[in-house]
Amino acid sequence: MKNQLLILFLLVTVFSSVEASCKPSGKIRGKKPPPGQCNTENHSECCVEGKLYTTYKCSPKVSDHTKAVLTINSFAKGGDGGAPSECDNKFHSNDSPVVALSTGWFNKQQRCLKKIIIHGNGRSVEAMVVDECDSTLSCDVDHDFQPPCPNNIVDASKDVWKALSVPQKNWGNLNITWSDV
Ligand SMILES: *[C@@H]1O[C@H](CO)[C@@H](O)[C@H](O)[C@H]1NC(C)=O
Ligand SMILES: *[C@@H]1O[C@H](CO)[C@@H](O)[C@H](O)[C@H]1NC(C)=O
């Protein structure tokens, strides 16, 4: 009886930790972008030579108040997002509320063109998921020498920042919570 209880306890512990935790999928070492590569306009980051970056295929579990970091991205043609959005192969106006989610939350396009609600700066805004913020990529030419996305990012158009009434000088990094609509 005692042993059975112990086994049950172990199983519950193992399964709940598997569900709750999101472990890194690997590490990559940054390579210095060649001259003219990696566009740093509008808050884009470039890989740093020798720096270790952690990659993830998962993100923290989604709840009614999923903690995340809001960043800023251009979804327009010629913007720092680069290619058209993965969900619909289109560019989007930065005056519309659109976001990219970290790989785990993007969940193999499962949230594509669905709405999420973002709470931040004492306000809320609904935004549509159109793209992935890739947490698995490496610092190479295919990714404009940008580091992998952390696994807790909601990368948003400026319209989202405006809707949350964040003063323009503070756009780029904000702790928020979000949930599915
Ligand atoms: C930076 O943002 C401005 C204003 O949103 C935009 O016109 C410009 O194309 C962006 N540049 C890049 C490289 O994303
Ligand atoms: C944002 O959240 C992180 C992790 O929860 C915390 O360490 C940090 O202090 C927060 N930043 C602000 C400005 O509240």
Side-chain angles (χ1 to χ4, degrees), residues 39 41-42 74 78-81 94 158:
N39 191 331
E41 250 179 79
N42 302 339
S74 172
D80 60 359
N94 293 314
K158 71 174 163 57

Side-chain angles (χ1 to χ4, degrees), residues 99-166:
V99 296
L101 296 180
S102 294
T103 293
W105 288 338
F106 189 67
N107 195 13
K108 302 191 175 93
Q109 301 202 346
Q110 295 281 311
R111 288 201 164 80
C112 266
L113 307 182
K114 297 205 170 129
K115 285 192 170 169
I116 63 168
I117 185 157
I118 297 167
H119 309 278
N121 197 36
R123 308 215 171 198
S124 300
V125 59
E126 283 190 10
M128 188 169 70
V129 178
V130 295
D131 211 349
E132 175 176 11
C133 190
D134 199 331
S135 313
T136 68
L137 55 72
S138 41
C139 300
D140 60 19
V141 64
D142 286 347
H143 305 106
D144 200 24
F145 292 90
Q146 287 181 25
C149 194
N151 68 355
N152 63 342
I153 297 294
V154 175
D155 199 17
S157 65
K158 71 174 163 57
D159 192 55
V160 169
W161 287 89
K162 257 189 203 166
L164 294 175
S165 296
V166 178

